[in-house]
């Protein structure tokens, strides 16, 4: 049984990654239905919370059906991070996560996200301040290092454990890599197999097939995996991995009807949480992924991203079901998922996400 503090997550939990502009409550709702064991909010600025910024406060919204759920914060200064941790605790999530992995320039230039990887002593100090400020279990998500010359994740893991974090998620890239190239799981495995490490270690990067998950568990010994891009428009990924791990067989791919039904629920949740205008606008980024693999879908997709009412969008989705009722999806592997650090026999296994 994998545990973060007193939170029991099962034998090999599947985590939904905190993705900016993606991992909001409507998206988390469909991923929870799809089998995610632990989910995180989008990252929230510590300074934004202290200033009572509307966008930052809105990201604190969590719902009972999501549990266990963690709220993720980021920042580059000790006092704001500690204050943000206290604000987060008042909203009663199951845990608090610190983002030390975001690679975008507007975050790293402030010494936050992956920017802190240039200053490990400060990273440790910030983490200790957050642990001290809250009674919630504190976890961290980070990267291997700033660049190829500073892959110091083994030292980082030990030092963060020593100041009290309860779990660590490692994305198998450096900050300089951003999201390019392949994730390197070898150092993730070294951290997990370090005899000094006794907290759960979760791996993240390029996972989109059940075979890859089994390979990662067998080769690197991780306690679970975090899934990001593979879940966008395909929340079934979690249940499919679980089924394959239990039976060694693939679940049938979801039909067009099933995809449209979940897409409709996502839309409904988006409108309910954000309102008609914003809810409809922000759903537009998801339609391509829900409909990936359908031939000659451009005209329908164009309608979905221009219509302005929920009823009109649902009519188009219903028309898609009629048009493609006989379509059979195939398993394919996106290029980013062809991870050279997973065993060769597994890295090219079919991926349900994009086909």
């Amino acid at each position: 049984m994998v545990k973060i503090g007193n939170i029991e997550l099962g034998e090999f939990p599947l985590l939904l990654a905190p993705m900016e502009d993606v991992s909001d409550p409507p998206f988390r709702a469909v991923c929870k239905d799809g089998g995610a064991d632990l989910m995180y909010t989008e990252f929230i600025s510590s300074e934004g919370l202290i200033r009572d910024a509307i966008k930052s406060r809105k990201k604190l919204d969590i719902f009972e059906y999501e549990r266990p759920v963690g709220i993720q914060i980021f920042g580059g200064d000790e006092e704001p991070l500690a204050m943000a941790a206290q604000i987060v605790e008042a909203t009663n999530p199951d845990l608090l996560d610190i983002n030390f992995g975001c690679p975008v320039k507007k975050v790293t230039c402030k010494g936050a996200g992956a920017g802190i990887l240039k200053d490990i002593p400060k990273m440790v100090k910030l983490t200790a301040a957050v642990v001290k400020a809250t009674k919630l279990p504190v976890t961290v998500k980070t990267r291997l290092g700033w660049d190829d010359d500073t892959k110091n994740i083994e030292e980082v893991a030990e030092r963060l454990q020593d100041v009290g974090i309860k779990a660590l998620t490692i994305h198998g890239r450096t900050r300089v890599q951003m999201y390019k190239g392949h994730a390197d799981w070898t150092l993730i495995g070294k951290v997990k197999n370090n005899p000094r490490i006794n907290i759960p270690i979760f791996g993240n990067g390029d996972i989109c097939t059940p075979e890859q998950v089994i390979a990662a568990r067998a080769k690197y010994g991780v306690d679970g995996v975090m899934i990001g891009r593979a879940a966008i428009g395909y929340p079934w990924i979690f249940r499919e991995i679980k089924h394959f791990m239990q039976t060694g067989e693939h679940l049938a791919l979801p039909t067009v009807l099933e995809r449209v039904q979940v897409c409709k629920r996502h839309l409904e949740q988006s409108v309910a949480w954000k309102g008609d205008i914003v809810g409809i606008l922000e759903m537009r980024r998801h339609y391509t992924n829900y409909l990936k693999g359908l031939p000659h879908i451009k005209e329908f997709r164009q309608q979905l991203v221009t219509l302005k009412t929920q009823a009109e969008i649902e009519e188009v989705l219903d028309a898609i079901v009629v048009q493609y009722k006989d379509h059979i999806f195939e398993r394919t592997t996106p290029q980013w998922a062809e991870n050279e650090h997973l065993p060769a026999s597994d890295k090219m296994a079919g991926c349900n996400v994009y086909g």
Side-chain angles (χ1 to χ4, degrees):
M1 176 67 69
V2 176
K3 297 176 67 177
I4 298 177
N6 293 322
I7 305 167
E8 295 184 352
L9 297 175
E11 293 185 4
F12 191 81
L14 305 178
L15 285 59
L16 174 66
M19 295 176 282
E20 180 69 358
D21 294 327
V22 176
S23 299
D24 57 17
F27 179 71
R28 298 198 303 267
V30 296
C31 287
K32 185 68 175 183
D33 285 348
D37 295 304
L38 173 63
M39 303 184 294
Y40 292 91
T41 63
E42 303 169 80
F43 71 170
I44 306 172
S45 163
S46 56
E47 287 83 0
L49 283 181
I50 294 168
R51 292 196 312 269
D52 203 26
I54 293 175
K55 184 175 181 180
S56 295
R57 289 280 178 167
K58 185 71 172 172
K59 290 180 180 179
L60 291 174
D61 287 356
I62 55 174
F63 301 89
E64 285 302 312
Y65 61 75
E66 299 185 77
R67 296 189 185 277
V69 61
I71 291 177
Q72 188 186 72
I73 60 175
F74 75 96
D77 296 305
E78 185 176 339
E79 185 176 356
L81 269 175
M83 292 176 65
Q86 294 170 347
I87 294 171
V88 166
E89 184 176 320
T91 67
N92 194 33
D94 297 285
L95 57 87
L96 183 154
D97 189 73
I98 309 173
N99 182 316
F100 287 142
C102 178
V104 301
K105 187 175 180 179
K106 69 178 182 180
V107 173
T108 61
C109 70
K110 298 177 181 179
I116 199 68
L117 291 168
K118 289 183 174 182
D119 189 345
I120 301 308
K122 184 178 180 182
M123 182 186 194
V124 174
K125 187 177 181 180
L126 293 178
T127 305
V130 172
V131 171
K132 185 177 180 180
T134 180
K135 296 178 182 178
L136 293 169
V138 175
T139 63
V140 165
K141 184 172 189 287
T142 191
R143 290 179 170 239
L144 302 178
W146 178 260
D147 57 24
D148 285 342
D149 296 325
T150 57
K151 290 183 178 180
N152 44 25
I153 188 62
E154 293 175 85
E155 173 195 353
V156 165
E158 290 187 3
R159 296 182 67 176
L160 295 186
Q161 177 182 266
D162 289 346
V163 297
I165 71 166
K166 300 302 182 184
L168 177 65
T169 300
I170 305 169
H171 181 95
R173 289 181 173 86
T174 64
R175 186 274 168 181
V176 169
Q177 279 184 274
M178 301 291 285
Y179 296 99
K180 298 176 182 178
H182 298 294
D184 183 353
W185 281 68
T186 56
L187 284 177
I188 301 176
K190 286 184 178 180
V191 171
K192 172 56 192 173
N193 293 293
N194 179 347
R196 273 210 62 208
I197 296 296
N198 53 46
I199 59 174
I201 301 297
F202 303 115
N204 173 231
D206 296 350
I207 291 288
C208 84
T209 72
E211 290 90 345
Q212 288 173 322
V213 174
I214 288 176
R217 184 183 191 183
K219 187 172 183 180
Y220 304 112
V222 291
D223 295 290
V225 297
M226 178 177 280
I227 296 171
R229 286 179 287 179
I232 299 175
Y234 202 83
W236 299 271
I237 185 67
F238 301 100
R239 77 179 187 191
E240 291 183 356
I241 290 170
K242 290 180 178 180
H243 181 83
F244 191 86
M245 293 182 76
Q246 292 170 357
T247 68
E249 299 177 354
H250 283 284
L251 277 174
L253 296 178
T255 64
V256 173
L257 177 60
E258 289 173 312
R259 293 174 193 236
V260 166
Q261 286 174 333
V262 171
C263 184
K264 279 185 176 181
R265 184 180 175 213
H266 192 167
L267 172 63
E268 179 183 340
Q269 295 269 3
S270 184
V271 169
W273 185 61
K274 303 173 186 178
D276 290 337
I277 296 175
V278 177
I280 287 170
L281 283 174
E282 295 194 355
M283 264 302 292
R284 291 175 177 176
R285 65 172 62 100
H286 293 282
Y287 296 127
T288 295
N289 291 295
Y290 275 115
L291 304 175
K292 199 79 173 181
L294 293 176
H296 313 297
I297 195 66
K298 183 177 179 179
E299 182 178 340
F300 282 117
R301 190 171 62 238
Q302 186 63 28
Q303 294 179 56
L304 291 172
V305 299
T306 54
L307 294 172
K308 297 181 179 180
T309 71
Q310 182 177 344
E312 289 174 321
I313 293 169
E314 290 183 346
E315 284 184 12
V316 173
L317 291 170
D318 289 338
I320 289 172
V321 173
V322 174
Q323 177 73 24
Y324 294 96
K325 63 181 184 299
D326 297 323
H327 180 79
I328 299 175
F329 289 94
E330 297 180 358
R331 300 180 193 276
T332 60
T333 304
Q335 186 176 4
W336 57 260
E338 296 172 9
N339 194 325
E340 61 188 10
H341 292 279
L342 292 174
S345 60
D346 295 313
K347 72 178 183 178
M348 292 299 294
C351 178
N352 308 0
V353 179
Y354 286 96

